[in-house]
Amino acid sequence: MKTILVTGGTGFLGSNLCERLICEGNAVVCVDNNYTGRVKNIESLLGNPNFRFVEHDVIEPFDPGCRVEQIYNLACPASPPFYQGKASVMTTKTCVLGALNMLELAREHGATILQASTSEVYGEPRVHPQVETYRGNVNPIGIRACYDEGKRCAESLFFDYHRQEGVDIKVIRIFNTYGPRMNPADGRVVSNLICQALRGEDLTLYGDGSQTRSFCYVDDLIEAMMRMMASRQGFTGPVNTGNPGEFTIRELAEKVLARVPHGSKLVYRELPLDDPTQRRPDISLAQRELGWSPRIQLDEGLDRTIAYFRGEIASA
Ligand code: NAD
Ligand code: UDP
């Protein structure tokens, strides 16, 4: 049995990861300040003797009170409305100081540490699909920079701790991932469109809806994370993890409308500043090194996610 620390463990990805790690017989210490996470997401694990939840802000150093062998560093708001504006300085602090605190812990414990980095490190990409060697095109003073540059700085800290301190690091760059345990109020596109359709509201498209994203179902992503943690000694990444199927936001909305026929229509809203135009991962490295490819395509993933949100909305 391994003892594994998961930061951001009450969030969407973190709670799915905690459940999978517990199912596979590990002991899990879940750390979160519940900024965007919900204790509800880990409720089924709270009575498990191998699971411990600690409310803590990763901006401050953390003492797990026991030896940990692995750390998954996921703590960070991931939805633009929750990482920008009044939250922007906190977001940068979470990315940078959170990474620093967890890297120190990994060094002290001799633990392997995985960083949940992001496709946002590529900014508005000029290379398509995005390969890991592409260095990106981020506006360093824009409204997304607190997140994009925060995550880029975290990657730089990870590689410096690896080179200077010999810490065993694993870095994945996650592309848009969706599925059960997302908060209906999260603000990202999949949850917004599905919840709007289920409530009979109009579906909000920012800009003309022609921008593209590649959507990965959560179970596939968790599998990639765990394979990365178990990857060969010395393999650090960064590795793109995502589903290479690429859709315009309008296509996504039409898929949702076709599944939830409540008479909603599409309405167009202003495109936020620096919103990337096009995004799709090249996953050849993940295929080669991790033997991983996503299995659940968008149609099936949407069916599962709609069923989840139906339950959330009914019980609200
Ligand atoms: P989420 O908002 O549901 O989860 C983030 C969690 O981190 C929340 O539980 C939140 O309360 C917690 N958190 C935030 N700041 C914290 C702090 N200072 N201290 C302790 N906990 C804190 O988002 P998610 O989609 O589950 O994202 C998880 C991680 O994966 C994030 O690091 C995100 O950047 C990364 N990521 C996610 C996606 C995606 O599409 N889901 C894509 C790229 C990267
Ligand atoms: N978006 C949209 N309607 C919404 C929410 C988001 O059209 O209600 C757009 C957003 O402008 C972006 C895309 O959908 O172009 C994905 O947005 P999300 O916030 O999910 O992720 P990110 O922009 O971080 O990739």
Side-chain angles (χ1 to χ4, degrees):
M1 177 190 282
K2 288 196 172 65
T3 301
I4 302 175
L5 176 63
V6 177
T7 75
T10 63
F12 159 52
L13 293 180
S15 57
N16 280 284
L17 175 65
C18 286
E19 183 178 58
R20 175 88 192 267
L21 292 171
I22 287 286
C23 282
E24 299 203 353
N26 300 290
V28 171
V29 182
C30 164
V31 171
D32 204 297
N33 67 353
N34 292 325
Y35 170 54
T36 52
R38 302 177 294 169
V39 173
K40 178 184 178 183
N41 281 340
I42 52 155
E43 219 147 44
S44 61
L45 302 174
L46 286 174
N48 189 311
N50 293 329
F51 183 80
R52 180 157 56 97
F53 170 56
V54 185
E55 190 167 336
H56 177 83
D57 189 322
V58 298
I59 291 174
E60 303 299 331
F62 178 68
D63 176 3
C66 61
R67 182 164 176 263
V68 298
E69 287 149 280
Q70 296 180 347
I71 302 172
Y72 287 88
N73 187 38
L74 274 62
C76 183
S79 169
F82 283 93
Y83 70 62
Q84 294 172 351
K86 288 199 172 113
S88 55
V89 172
M90 184 194 71
T91 298
T92 304
K93 281 184 173 173
T94 297
C95 287
V96 177
L97 298 177
L100 202 55
N101 286 328
M102 290 308 134
L103 283 160
E104 273 299 311
L105 205 61
R107 186 181 61 77
E108 284 164 24
H109 288 238
T112 305
I113 180 165
L114 179 143
Q115 168 67 354
S117 191
T118 169
S119 53
E120 286 284 326
V121 301
Y122 301 121
E124 169 70 6
R126 295 211 172 110
V127 168
H128 194 75
Q130 290 80 62
V131 280
E132 290 85 351
T133 47
Y134 176 51
R135 292 181 186 176
N137 176 33
V138 171
N139 173 5
I141 58 167
I143 57 172
R144 294 175 88 96
C146 56
Y147 182 78
D148 299 10
E149 298 289 16
K151 290 282 187 178
R152 287 170 67 99
C153 183
E155 284 199 14
S156 130
L157 281 168
F158 266 68
F159 279 85
D160 282 336
Y161 265 77
H162 178 63
R163 284 184 288 255
Q164 285 182 26
E165 309 289 341
V167 172
D168 188 16
I169 62 158
K170 309 280 177 190
V171 178
I172 57 169
R173 292 178 177 160
I174 304 169
F175 285 63
N176 300 63
T177 301
Y178 68 98
R181 296 211 175 99
M182 284 191 105
N183 188 333
D186 178 273
R188 280 175 278 183
V189 69
V190 174
S191 47
N192 271 11
L193 298 185
I194 292 178
C195 292
Q196 288 162 344
L198 289 171
R199 294 182 178 123
E201 299 165 2
D202 292 337
L203 275 56
T204 52
L205 296 195
Y206 302 163
D208 63 4
S210 65
Q211 68 272 37
T212 68
R213 293 293 186 274
S214 300
F215 298 100
C216 185
Y217 188 70
V218 59
D219 292 0
D220 283 330
L221 200 276
I222 300 301
E223 177 67 27
M225 265 189 188
M226 292 179 60
R227 285 186 186 221
M228 183 61 179
M229 184 59 99
S231 63
R232 70 181 163 82
Q233 180 74 30
F235 179 63
T236 59
V239 184
N240 289 338
T241 51
N243 188 320
E246 184 183 358
F247 298 88
T248 66
I249 299 304
R250 208 176 318 119
E251 285 169 331
L252 174 70
E254 276 155 8
K255 281 182 181 292
V256 171
L257 280 184
R259 288 170 166 76
V260 190
H262 270 341
S264 305
K265 59 181 194 307
L266 307 182
V267 293
Y268 293 86
R269 299 280 177 262
E270 201 177 335
L271 185 70
L273 281 172
D274 292 336
D275 197 289
T277 314
Q278 217 183 7
R279 183 183 283 159
R280 171 155 61 101
D282 179 315
I283 60 162
S284 347
L285 183 60
Q287 286 169 326
R288 205 165 57 241
E289 280 289 342
L290 311 178
W292 174 85
S293 290
R295 294 175 169 205
I296 298 168
Q297 302 310 330
L298 186 56
D299 288 315
E300 186 186 345
L302 282 180
D303 288 340
R304 294 187 190 191
T305 307
I306 289 168
Y308 157 75
F309 278 120
R310 219 184 272 285
E312 283 288 289
I313 287 173
S315 67

